[in-house]
């Protein structure tokens, strides 16, 4: 009922707001509920991807968290992160990011599910959101390390987001330098417009003139931009009562619409005004010749060959100024050709001239096309390398500024690297530091611009200063492939692909570079030895099985002894996933064949169950290795077979089977106790921290129980299961007698 009430309240609020002359339409979007997990790495979050339509004036997310069990779980906090343009970069457990990595943590809210309630329904509003991709990531608090077995009762939570959109179908468009008359009344507390900013624009101005009031005196405010939940995503200017007012954007975003909102906060007031917009193109890049070399773009073999070919396109400053002489705007930047080379999923590189000439008179601007959401799930890597032997003039350094949606033109005079709505990323190379690298996890899906310009030691005669810079720009799945202590995983949510690092050996962080909780080498070695040497406890079961003639069972025990998973260490004889699978499979199959061996079935039936059960167990292990029923299922099924076989023998022989009390007291009971202890440790006591010890105890208990539970040798089978001769006279004679008997019948 709480969810439906919130839904009705939401629809009423949407219908009652923003009711003016603009026609509004609604949209409803929903995602499937997903089970939440405790956070240890980014793969634990539940990522949801929404697409906000153009001209959306209001978005309301209905966030529903439902407890999936009736247990008394106490209060539970759920964190939800929001970001526009790319998946949110989060750091719930306060780990260190790798060197040369720049991050801005996403906006987040906390939802609380009280202990006495089964759900939480929260409305989250964003007014005038930026159109395009929006992402939200939900997770529970930090993982406590407890290894939960699937099938046991636990506190589980489901998270479902729903998005309700209020969109303007006929939003007024401000035409450049053409005033538009508008009236604001009490009913219409705000007026909305949009203006298009073309490429190469350097400034956007919005003017309000001819203001007249009816009623109480009121002041207007002008807001430019869309909300992205980041500081600086909008610019607001408060106007005086009747004075002409204007709002300006320096370096506005290119090739996009900018929202203009006019508000008055005074009730019972009618305001008439004229509004207009002006877009200024301050300068244009140097024109590029149409006679470019097509061979540079055909089957590129290497960065150097392509870079040199592209570099040949560069014209001298005099020639390029001559080509751009027909334009009235002054030339203010160079724009070398950039080749976008898509190599694989989340694998992309931008190829530019290997010898990029960066001067002090004009900035060099590289256009980097990341406008596709398919590229935002990786890591954006920019590297600059200065050729210190090719410096000209009073060289001081080369300053670079990386910004989305619009470039920074005046790199040498700008003290900070930012545009109208976005904070950029600054880089600098000099004689002392000739190499610099920048990594941006989950870059925003936009057109990015890298501006470079040479700075001098002083302002005297700085026009002839230049430097040769090698620029490397790429998109990779993970930061340095997660290093030696991590593994890069490709994740998917509803068709959207992104990557994250899962760490081992106690390492943490976005690139598995935070060693604050890492296991020391000695502890890794001790853990590996403990887990491996504990498998030597299977040597006694192997010897006992061979002595009693159970060769198949001995082979299974040897398989279990050989494969051990050294936890999350990096010292493995083969892939960690393979080792873990073999270890879990061998342990369960050992229990399976031991109990079936105790049932003393006919050999064809026994081996059929051996093979069939092993195949089923391996399939189930591949689906979920930590499931509770992966162990209990084979144990219970084999116990049913054993009890049925023992009951049949007891009824047939008219006495209890096994008949000897010594067998019960000295073998069966100790074996059962050892097996129960091992199962309890395996199911209830394992954590990531004590895994080395608890799993070693599990090895010991299983091996000990096998020694006690294996049935004694059959009377007609000699020790070790072999006669003194491979085909002795008596063996061959018995076979012949049996053959003649069957034939005579």
């Amino acid at each position: 009922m709480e969810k439906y009430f919130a839904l009705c309240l939401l629809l009423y609020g949407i219908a009652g707001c923003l009711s003016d002359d603009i026609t509004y339409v609604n949209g409803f979007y929903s995602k499937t509920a997903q089970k939440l997990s405790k956070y240890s790495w980014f793969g634990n979050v539940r990522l949801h991807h929404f697409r906000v339509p153009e001209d959306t004036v209001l978005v309301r997310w209905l966030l529903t968290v439902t407890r999936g069990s009736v247990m008394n779980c106490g209060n539970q906090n759920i964190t939800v992160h929001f970001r526009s343009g790319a998946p949110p970069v989060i750091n719930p457990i306060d780990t260190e990011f790798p060197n040369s990595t720049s991050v801005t943590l996403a906006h987040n809210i906390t939802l609380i599910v009280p202990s006495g309630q089964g759900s939480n329904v929260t409305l989250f509003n964003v007014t005038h959101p930026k159109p395009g991709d929006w992402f939200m990531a939900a997770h529970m608090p930090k993982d406590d390390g407890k290894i939960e077995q699937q099938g046991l009762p636990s506190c589980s939570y489901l998270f479902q987001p729903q998005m309700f959109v209020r969109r303007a179908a006929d939003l007024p468009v401000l035409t450049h330098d053409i005033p538009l008359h508008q009236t604001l009344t009490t009913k219409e507390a705000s007026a909305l417009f949009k203006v298009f900013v073309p490429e190469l624009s350097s400034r956007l101005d919005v003017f309000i003139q001819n203001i007249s009031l009816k009623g109480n005196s009121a002041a207007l405010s002008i807001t430019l931009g869309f909300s992205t939940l980041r500081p600086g995503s909008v610019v607001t200017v408060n106007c005086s009562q009747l004075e002409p007012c204007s709002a300006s954007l320096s370096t506005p975003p290119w090739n996009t619409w900018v929202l203009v909102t006019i508000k008055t906060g005074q009730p019972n007031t009618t305001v008439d005004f004229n509004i207009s917009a002006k877009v200024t193109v301050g300068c244009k890049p140097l024109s590029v010749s149409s006679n470019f070399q097509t061979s540079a773009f055909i089957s590129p073999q290497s960065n150097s060959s392509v870079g040199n070919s592209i570099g040949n396109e560069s014209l001298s400053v005099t020639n390029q100024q001559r080509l751009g002489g027909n334009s009235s705007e002054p030339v203010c930047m160079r724009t070398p050709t950039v080749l976008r080379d898509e190599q694989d999923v989340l694998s992309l590189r931008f190829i530019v001239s290997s010898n990029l000439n960066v001067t002090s008179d004009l900035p060099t601007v590289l256009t980097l096309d990341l406008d596709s959401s398919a590229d935002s799930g990786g890591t954006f890597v920019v590297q600059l390398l200065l050729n210190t032997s090719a410096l000209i003039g009073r060289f001081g350094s080369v300053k670079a500024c990386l910004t989305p949606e619009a470039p920074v033109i005046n790199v040498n005079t700008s003290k900070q690297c930012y545009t109208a709505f976005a904070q950029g990323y600054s880089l600098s190379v000099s004689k002392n530091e000739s190499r610099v690298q920048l990594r941006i996890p989950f870059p925003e899906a936009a057109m990015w611009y890298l501006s470079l310009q040479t700075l001098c030691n002083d302002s005297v005669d700085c026009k002839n200063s230049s430097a040769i810079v090698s620029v490397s720009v790429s998109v990779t799945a993970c930061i340095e492939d997660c290093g030696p202590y991590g593994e890069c995983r490709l994740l998917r949510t509803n068709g959207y692909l992104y990557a994250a690092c899962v760490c081992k050996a106690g390492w943490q962080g976005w690139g598995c570079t935070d060693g604050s909780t890492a296991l020391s080498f000695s502890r890794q070695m001790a853990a590996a030895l403990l887990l491996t040497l504990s498998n030597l406890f299977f040597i006694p079961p192997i010897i006992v099985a061979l002595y009693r003639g159970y060769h198949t069972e001995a082979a299974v025990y040897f398989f279990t002894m050989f494969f051990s998973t050294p936890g999350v260490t990096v010292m493995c004889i083969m892939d960690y996933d393979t080792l873990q699978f073999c270890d879990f499979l061998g342990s369960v199959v050992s229990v399976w064949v031991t109990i079936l061996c105790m049932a003393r079935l006919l050999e064809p039936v026994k081996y059929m169950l051996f093979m069939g059960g092993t195949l089923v167990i391996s399939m189930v292990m591949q689906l979920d290795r930590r499931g509770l029923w992966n162990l209990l299922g084979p144990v219970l099924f084999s116990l049913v077979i054993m009890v049925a076989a023992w009951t049949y023998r007891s009824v047939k022989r008219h006495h209890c089977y096994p008949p000897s009390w010594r067998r019960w007291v000295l073998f069966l009971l100790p074996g059962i106790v050892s097996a129960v202890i091992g199962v309890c440790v395996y199911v209830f006591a394992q954590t990531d921290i004590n895994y080395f010890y608890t799993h070693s105890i599990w090895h010991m208990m299983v091996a000990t129980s096998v020694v006690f539970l294996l049935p004694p040798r059959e009377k007609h089978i000699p020790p070790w299961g072999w006669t003194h001769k491979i085909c002795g006279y008596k063996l061959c004679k018995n076979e012949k007698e049996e053959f003649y008997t069957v034939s005579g019948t």
Side-chain angles (χ1 to χ4, degrees):
M1 284 299 295
E2 182 181 359
K3 180 177 179 179
Y4 293 111
F5 175 76
L7 180 60
C8 295
L9 181 63
L10 173 66
L11 295 176
Y12 175 80
I14 290 180
C17 66
L18 302 173
S19 302
D20 50 29
D21 294 338
I22 300 177
T23 302
Y24 294 97
V25 294
N26 294 336
F28 307 92
Y29 306 87
S30 180
K31 298 292 184 179
T32 304
Q34 295 184 4
K35 184 179 179 181
L36 295 174
S37 301
K38 294 181 179 180
Y39 186 87
S40 60
W41 67 294
F42 197 81
N44 297 129
V45 307
R46 296 299 172 257
L47 187 67
H48 295 275
H49 179 200
F50 289 93
R51 183 78 179 177
V52 176
E54 293 283 345
D55 299 336
T56 297
V57 297
L58 177 65
V59 163
R60 285 184 174 175
W61 274 291
L62 178 64
L63 310 177
T64 304
V65 179
T66 306
R67 182 179 286 119
S69 63
V70 295
M71 297 180 60
N72 184 15
C73 299
N75 296 339
Q76 181 63 59
N77 294 340
I78 308 296
T79 305
V80 183
H81 306 262
F82 297 85
R83 189 186 177 193
S84 169
V89 178
I90 63 177
N91 191 18
I93 54 180
D94 296 328
T95 58
E96 292 184 1
F97 285 88
N99 295 331
S100 305
T101 302
S102 181
V103 297
T104 301
L105 299 182
H107 179 83
N108 67 81
I109 62 174
T110 301
L111 312 179
I112 301 177
V113 182
S115 59
Q117 299 181 11
S119 64
N120 177 293
V121 180
T122 301
L123 292 176
F124 182 73
N125 300 337
V126 179
T127 305
H128 306 146
K130 183 177 181 179
D133 297 315
W134 279 77
F135 295 84
M136 67 174 63
H139 62 85
M140 296 168 65
K142 180 182 177 180
D143 190 2
D144 55 5
K146 178 70 172 64
I147 300 177
E148 296 183 355
Q149 302 297 330
Q150 300 294 328
L152 289 177
S154 62
C155 296
S156 60
Y157 296 87
L158 299 176
F159 174 74
Q160 182 182 24
Q162 294 173 299
M163 184 178 72
F164 302 86
V165 172
R166 181 77 161 172
R167 181 173 61 88
D170 51 358
L171 195 63
V173 177
L174 292 180
T175 307
H176 302 170
D177 295 328
I178 298 179
L180 180 65
H181 183 74
Q182 182 71 27
T183 300
L184 278 181
T185 63
T186 304
K187 180 181 178 182
E188 302 166 351
S190 63
L192 302 177
F193 310 89
K194 64 178 181 179
V195 57
F196 185 76
V197 180
E199 192 171 357
L200 305 178
S201 300
S202 59
R203 183 181 178 90
L204 170 64
D205 295 283
V206 176
F207 303 96
I208 295 180
Q209 297 174 330
N210 302 329
I211 304 174
S212 63
L213 299 176
K214 295 180 182 179
N216 299 330
S217 61
L220 298 178
S221 65
I222 306 175
T223 301
L224 304 181
F226 298 97
S227 174
T228 62
L229 301 180
R230 294 197 308 264
S233 61
V234 296
V235 174
T236 301
V237 175
N238 295 319
C239 305
S240 301
Q241 293 186 359
L242 297 177
E243 297 294 330
C245 185
S246 65
S248 302
L249 294 180
S250 180
T251 318
W254 288 358
N255 288 327
T256 188
W257 292 93
V258 174
L259 183 68
V260 180
T261 307
I262 310 298
K263 291 184 179 181
T264 175
Q266 187 67 31
N268 301 324
T269 302
T270 300
V271 183
D272 292 323
F273 59 90
N274 290 336
I275 182 171
S276 61
K278 180 181 179 181
V279 176
T280 303
V281 178
C283 62
K284 287 188 176 182
L286 296 171
S287 180
V288 177
S289 171
S290 61
N291 187 24
F292 63 90
Q293 298 186 13
T294 57
S295 60
F297 300 94
I298 301 177
S299 302
Q301 299 297 325
S302 65
N303 287 348
S304 59
S305 62
V306 177
N308 292 332
S309 299
I310 295 176
N312 292 332
E313 295 181 23
S314 302
L315 305 175
S316 66
V317 176
T318 304
N319 293 335
Q320 294 190 46
Q321 288 176 340
R322 191 175 302 159
L323 288 172
N326 296 330
S327 176
S328 59
E329 291 80 5
V331 174
C332 64
M333 58 181 170
R334 296 183 179 89
T335 55
T337 304
V338 178
L339 171 62
R340 174 188 164 101
D341 182 18
E342 298 184 15
Q343 299 176 316
D344 203 344
V345 178
L346 296 179
S347 180
L348 168 69
R349 62 174 180 170
F350 295 93
I351 303 175
V352 297
S353 173
S354 58
N355 296 316
L356 193 64
N357 187 20
V358 181
T359 63
S360 58
D361 56 344
L362 294 178
T364 300
V365 179
L366 304 180
T367 303
L368 311 172
D369 187 1
L370 287 181
D371 206 15
S372 172
S373 60
D375 305 323
S376 61
T379 301
F380 195 22
V381 182
V382 178
Q383 181 173 305
L384 304 181
L385 177 61
L386 176 66
N387 186 351
T388 56
S389 62
L391 305 179
I392 300 176
R394 297 179 178 272
F395 175 84
S397 64
V398 172
K399 182 179 179 182
C401 181
L402 180 66
T403 53
E405 299 180 333
V408 173
I409 304 300
N410 299 321
V411 182
N412 57 349
T413 59
S414 300
K415 296 182 179 180
Q416 296 182 350
C417 176
Y418 61 87
T419 59
F421 298 131
Q423 176 64 48
Y425 304 89
S426 296
L427 301 93
S428 180
V429 288
S430 61
K431 293 180 180 179
N432 298 328
E433 187 178 2
S434 61
R435 182 190 298 269
V436 66
Q437 187 180 52
L438 171 67
R439 291 182 285 224
I440 306 174
F442 296 159
E444 180 182 351
M447 193 71 72
W448 287 74
Y449 299 90
L450 179 62
S451 305
L452 303 98
Q453 194 165 5
T454 298
L455 305 182
C456 300
N457 290 324
D458 52 54
S459 59
V460 179
D461 192 20
C462 193
K463 293 183 179 181
N464 297 325
S465 178
S466 65
I468 301 298
V469 179
S470 176
V471 180
S472 173
V473 183
S474 62
V475 173
T476 61
C478 297
I479 297 178
E480 294 183 353
D481 203 24
C482 302
Y485 299 102
E487 178 185 353
C488 186
R489 298 278 182 88
L490 189 63
L491 309 172
R492 181 180 63 87
T493 173
N494 296 328
Y496 178 79
L497 296 176
Y498 59 103
C501 290
V502 55
C503 307
K504 52 189 175 182
W507 290 79
Q508 302 180 100
W510 204 265
C512 299
T513 55
D514 186 348
S516 58
T517 60
L519 300 178
S520 63
F521 180 81
S522 59
R523 187 175 179 186
Q524 292 184 51
M525 182 63 71
L529 291 176
L530 183 62
L531 284 167
T532 304
L533 296 179
S534 65
N535 274 347
L536 297 181
F537 274 75
F538 276 93
I539 293 180
I542 293 173
I543 296 175
V544 172
L546 290 175
Y547 179 78
R548 297 179 182 179
Y550 301 118
H551 303 126
T552 303
E553 292 82 346
V556 174
Y557 303 150
F558 178 80
F559 178 90
T560 305
M561 181 191 70
F562 181 78
F563 288 100
S564 175
T565 53
V568 290
T569 64
V570 296
M571 298 172 292
C572 296
I573 60 176
M574 62 180 64
D575 180 67
Y576 169 77
D577 186 70
T578 303
L579 285 171
Q580 188 186 64
F581 174 81
C582 294
D583 182 43
F584 280 60
L585 176 65
S587 299
V588 177
V589 173
S590 296
V591 177
W592 169 254
V593 299
T594 301
I595 299 178
L596 290 180
C597 183
M598 294 171 62
R600 289 188 179 273
L601 304 172
L602 295 176
E603 287 196 354
V605 177
K606 182 177 74 170
Y607 292 128
M608 180 191 69
L609 291 174
F610 277 6
M611 180 59 66
T614 302
L615 293 176
V616 173
I617 292 171
S618 62
M619 178 193 67
V620 175
M621 284 292 177
Q622 182 63 28
L623 295 175
D624 180 17
R625 284 168 208 174
R626 301 191 185 277
L628 177 63
W629 289 100
N630 294 352
L631 176 62
L632 293 185
V635 169
L636 294 178
F637 187 63
S638 57
L639 284 176
V640 170
I641 297 175
M642 186 193 72
V643 171
W646 285 11
T647 303
Y648 173 77
R649 288 190 176 90
S650 299
V651 172
K652 186 176 180 179
R653 299 179 182 183
H654 302 289
H655 59 76
C656 182
Y657 183 86
S660 173
W661 65 269
R662 292 184 179 86
R663 180 69 186 167
W664 284 94
V665 174
L666 300 180
F667 294 93
L668 294 182
L669 289 181
I672 293 173
V673 171
S674 299
V676 170
I677 293 175
V679 170
C680 291
V681 170
Y682 174 83
V683 174
F684 301 107
Q686 282 192 130
T687 65
D688 291 335
I689 298 177
N690 66 14
Y691 177 84
F692 314 120
Y693 312 107
T694 55
H695 203 72
S696 299
I697 294 174
W698 157 252
H699 287 164
M700 299 174 189
M701 292 298 101
V702 170
T704 304
S705 65
V706 169
V707 172
F708 285 106
L709 295 178
L710 269 180
R713 174 171 50 87
E714 297 284 355
K715 294 182 179 180
H716 65 278
I717 297 180
W720 308 107
W722 303 100
T723 58
H724 296 290
K725 296 181 179 180
I726 298 300
C727 187
Y729 173 77
K730 185 176 181 180
L731 177 60
C732 295
K733 181 179 180 180
N734 288 343
E735 290 179 353
K736 293 178 180 178
E737 288 178 353
E738 183 179 357
F739 173 75
Y740 292 136
T741 302
V742 173
S743 300
T745 304

